[in-house]
Amino acid sequence: MKVITRTASKTLRGRHLTLVWGIHDFPVGKILVALSAEGLCWLGINCDRAALAKNWPGAELVEDANVTKKAAAEIAKLWPAKLDKLSVPLVLYGTPFQLKVWKELLKIKSGSLTTYAAVAKKIGEPKAVRAVGSAVGKNTVSIVVPCHRVVNKDSGRVNYGWGPAVKLALLKGEKAA
DNA sequence: ATTTACCGTGCTT
DNA sequence: AAGCACGGTAAAT
């Protein structure tokens, strides 16, 4: 899978950017897929245009499910085990720290879990556990960047931007595969 | 069982 | 430009 990274803060990343978006079916719910000219840059679960607009201030949003249909179908088909085969490039917009965290998440194998502390250690910032927590939460491309495979150290407790139920459904689906 | 310290980000002032 | 609230974990109280 091709991964493009762009350094940008949340407030600036939407400027001069046109996003084509559409809502499609996925095993754990509806996904909102948004593509820039470069590739897949946002994926939300059970959300609407407002959530997209909030995350990409300044961006021009064009709804066209025909354009996003192909990418969405591919994601649904490749999930959970073969997402790295995605033909659409993945475009990551974030601060240098967030990019480090997200790229680390990409290395987590389907079906396995890690903790925020382990990720912090891997990127060489062992004390920045909390920062890792917030970076994971700000991930722009859920499912493809497996933010749901990161759990609290004291197992069990689940915290997820799209709702704990979605996180559990994703993990369950990957476990089966 | 509660509190403290640690870090990066985004929102508010 | 400065302050504040978040978020996960280990260590100290």
Side-chain angles (χ1 to χ4, degrees):
Chain A
M1 173 174 54
K2 188 177 173 189
V3 180
I4 299 168
T5 55
R6 298 256 171 258
T7 305
S9 70
K10 181 179 177 180
T11 36
L12 295 178
R13 68 189 178 200
R15 302 236 290 237
H16 313 117
L17 193 65
T18 299
L19 297 179
V20 181
W21 64 279
I23 293 180
H24 304 271
D25 285 322
F26 190 75
V28 303
K30 299 275 185 189
I31 55 173
L32 192 163
V33 176
L35 305 171
S36 70
E38 294 183 301
L40 175 66
C41 60
W42 206 72
L43 199 163
I45 302 169
N46 293 330
C47 64
D48 54 13
R49 187 200 140 96
L52 178 64
K54 201 173 165 193
N55 275 275
W56 297 88
E60 186 186 340
L61 305 181
V62 180
E63 179 173 15
D64 189 341
N66 280 322
V67 174
T68 52
K69 183 166 66 180
K70 184 166 165 278
E74 199 183 359
I75 292 167
K77 185 177 145 205
L78 296 177
W79 185 78
K82 299 175 195 151
L83 277 178
D84 54 329
K85 302 281 198 307
L86 209 57
S87 68
V88 185
L90 183 59
V91 194
L92 265 22
Y93 282 82
T95 62
F97 183 86
Q98 288 166 344
L99 293 176
K100 262 201 284 184
V101 172
W102 298 340
K103 279 194 271 185
E104 196 56 47
L105 298 187
L106 248 14
K107 295 183 194 163
I108 307 171
K109 294 191 194 81
S110 176
S112 65
L113 295 176
T114 191
T115 62
Y116 298 94
V119 174
K121 207 171 182 180
K122 277 198 181 170
I123 63 173
E125 309 278 348
K127 283 177 293 186
V129 191
R130 309 174 74 184
V132 168
S134 59
V136 170
K138 284 165 191 150
N139 170 33
T140 51
V141 198
S142 340
I143 301 179
V144 183
V145 174
C147 47
H148 54 283
R149 295 190 196 130
V150 186
V151 300
N152 294 276
K153 198 142 201 184
D154 57 55
S155 65
R157 290 200 61 238
V158 170
N159 182 10
Y160 195 54
W162 307 118
V166 172
K167 181 166 183 171
L168 293 175
L170 285 168
L171 292 175
K172 197 178 162 198
E174 300 187 355
K175 204 172 175 184

